[in-house]
Amino acid sequence: MARELFAGVMSGTSLDGVDAVVADFSPANGAACATLGAAHVGLPTMLRDELLALQTPGANELARAGSAANMLAELYADAIRRALANAKVDRPQVIAVGVHGQTLRHRPERGWTLQRNNPARVAERSEIAVIADFRSRDVAAGGQVAPLVPAFHAALIRSKTRHRVIVNVGGIANITDLPPAGAISGFDTGPGNALLDLWCARNRGDPFDAGGAWAATGQVDVALLTALLAEPFFSAQPPKSTHRDKFNLTWLEERLAAAGWKGEADDVQATLVALTARTIADAIRKQASQAVDILICGGGARNVTLMKTLMRELAPRRVATTA
């Protein structure tokens, strides 16, 4: 049987870089797919700052967004080339590469979502057919723009005997509910690392709180956590999705001001960890109450403080990483 090789490229909400993978969807071992090689390319600080700036209205947006898309396309193509080299796969062997682009604005309730990408440039640079803009098609069909994640989780991780939930803690956190039988579903629960990263950068100058070490020095402020949890998105019923254009520094600072916050910055960080964990746990309790296995992926799986908090929130369920 001929191998069915595809590549995929991802640059997520956390804006920590571009990841590419080469996968075989016809492995001889009978699995849904096998990873052949992967690569990571960091985002230049200038491009990261520009993509963050483009998430809010500003001057000369169209020209700036076009330039950013070209720079992203070059990084996407570079990541693809590196992944192919690591997989020891030649370009003609790959059927296609999926590249959804970088989300800048997200308004599914209004029928649109905006990803910056230049798929034609990626195709020219990589010399592979490119599939793109599938998020807009999902919105047009009434979806919330992450149509592939639940299907992928179901193909690789669904169990016939155990009710599992997969939690991706990227910039935004989302869950996939995988009951042993019946329909699967997925939706965003709220901020994952986005607020943690932004607050850490504002107060420490670091792009993220490595391992959650800084958060571990603070104390959760119950009153502040209650104020943050009052955000209507958290109590809204799925299907639902969100992005940085809601959960950003402005959102946080408005709530700190309303609460008259005068405490320590590390206490805010600790409270933001509690916010991420509580909103994930609440979503599971409400929408997947019978789940026994909670499997964490994304950058948040490396945040020791967050993982410990999730374990407490979700006890007695088994909490582990997808690794």
Side-chain angles (χ1 to χ4, degrees):
M1 181 175 64
R3 293 201 300 176
E4 295 183 1
L5 305 187
F6 292 85
V9 179
M10 179 72 182
S11 57
T13 312
S14 294
L15 289 170
D16 53 358
V18 174
D19 293 294
V21 65
V22 179
D24 184 352
F25 282 84
S26 55
N29 63 8
C33 74
T35 302
L36 303 182
H40 173 83
V41 177
L43 280 184
T45 301
M46 178 271 293
L47 179 57
R48 185 179 190 275
D49 291 346
E50 179 70 312
L51 291 170
L52 283 170
L54 285 167
Q55 291 173 3
T56 55
N60 201 25
E61 286 183 286
L62 290 178
R64 288 166 51 212
S67 295
N70 281 351
M71 287 186 280
L72 273 172
E74 297 293 341
L75 292 178
Y76 291 157
D78 184 25
I80 292 166
R81 286 191 293 268
R82 296 188 189 197
L84 289 172
N86 291 336
K88 296 180 172 55
V89 167
D90 294 328
R91 285 192 299 259
Q93 295 176 268
V94 178
I95 296 171
V97 54
V99 189
H100 76 71
Q102 182 67 47
T103 301
L104 294 184
R105 311 284 176 87
H106 184 57
R107 294 289 188 274
E109 73 281 1
R110 300 180 187 175
W112 61 269
T113 185
L114 177 63
Q115 285 75 44
R116 293 315 305 150
N117 193 6
N118 188 336
R121 195 180 187 97
V122 179
E124 286 296 321
R125 297 294 188 268
S126 65
E127 300 181 26
I128 303 173
V130 170
I131 302 168
D133 204 29
F134 39 82
R135 291 196 162 200
S136 293
R137 177 64 184 270
D138 189 62
V139 170
Q144 293 283 320
V145 312
L148 302 182
V149 173
F152 178 76
H153 287 157
L156 266 67
I157 309 177
R158 193 176 195 179
S159 167
K160 294 181 179 179
T161 59
R162 298 181 66 84
H163 190 155
R164 291 175 168 170
V165 169
I166 314 303
V167 182
N168 172 47
V169 188
I172 299 298
N174 54 74
I175 69 171
T176 299
D177 183 21
L178 298 174
I184 63 172
S185 62
F187 59 92
D188 288 349
T189 62
N193 300 310
L195 296 177
L196 293 168
D197 293 350
L198 289 168
W199 189 249
C200 187
R202 165 68 63 86
N203 289 278
R204 310 258 302 176
D206 298 323
F208 62 94
D209 181 13
W214 183 44
T217 68
Q219 297 292 322
V220 175
D221 186 283
V222 175
L224 177 59
L225 177 60
T226 300
L228 298 177
L229 287 168
E231 163 61 47
F233 178 85
F234 300 135
S235 58
Q237 289 295 307
K240 59 181 179 178
S241 60
T242 188
H243 194 252
R244 281 181 184 267
D245 43 8
K246 172 180 284 293
F247 293 109
N248 50 41
L249 272 180
T250 299
W251 181 90
L252 176 59
E253 289 167 345
E254 287 174 352
R255 280 145 186 82
L256 289 172
W261 179 260
K262 298 185 184 300
E264 300 296 328
D266 59 348
D267 292 339
V268 175
Q269 189 76 354
T271 304
L272 291 175
V273 168
L275 176 69
T276 292
R278 178 70 58 82
T279 49
I280 290 169
D282 282 349
I284 292 171
R285 285 189 281 260
K286 292 175 183 177
Q287 304 298 329
S289 61
Q290 301 304 307
V292 295
D293 294 334
I294 313 299
L295 303 177
I296 316 296
C297 59
R302 301 190 178 199
N303 185 320
V304 177
T305 303
L306 176 60
M307 288 294 290
K308 289 179 178 178
T309 307
L310 282 168
M311 288 176 184
R312 289 195 299 269
E313 285 278 357
L314 290 163
R317 299 169 182 85
R318 170 179 171 263
V319 177
T321 73
T322 55

